[in-house]
């Protein structure tokens, strides 16, 4: 995707908090799983602590989602 296509996609989504608050719980869980979020609920405080890794390599950055498209390069 180009930078402009990504910007348009983000703009179409709108306020992500609003989108996620109304999302189906199964879909929401899938989004959180793909974001690699770790959530811990503290019932006494009625608080949820959310953590994630900002390491782009953990997201597959730089890898091809279709697999290695140039298997002869070594």
């Amino acid at each position: 995707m180009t930078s402009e296509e990504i910007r348009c996609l983000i703009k179409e989504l709108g306020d992500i908090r609003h989108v996620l608050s109304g999302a189906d719980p199964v879909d929401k869980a899938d989004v959180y799983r793909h974001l690699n979020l770790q959530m811990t609920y503290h019932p006494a405080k009625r608080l949820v602590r959310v953590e994630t890794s900002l390491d782009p390599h953990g997201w597959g950055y730089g890898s091809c989602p279709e697999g290695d498209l140039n298997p002869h390069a070594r």
Side-chain angles (χ1 to χ4, degrees):
M1 293 179 79
T2 67
S3 297
E4 185 59 31
E5 289 172 328
I6 293 170
R7 273 193 277 284
C8 287
L9 180 62
I10 291 170
K11 186 176 180 180
E12 284 179 32
L13 279 173
D15 183 351
I16 194 68
R17 291 172 299 173
H18 178 72
V19 171
L20 286 174
S21 69
D24 176 272
V26 174
D27 293 337
K28 194 184 309 189
D30 195 42
V31 169
Y32 293 162
R33 189 172 19 266
H34 280 87
L35 290 172
N36 209 16
L37 295 182
Q38 303 295 320
M39 293 182 249
T40 307
Y41 179 59
H42 300 277
K45 297 178 182 178
R46 296 179 49 154
L47 178 76
V48 177
R49 179 183 175 96
V50 181
E51 297 177 71
T52 191
S53 169
L54 298 178
D55 178 11
H57 300 298
W59 305 337
Y61 179 79
S63 64
C64 178
E66 301 298 324
D68 186 0
L69 296 179
N70 190 4
H72 304 293
R74 296 272 179 230

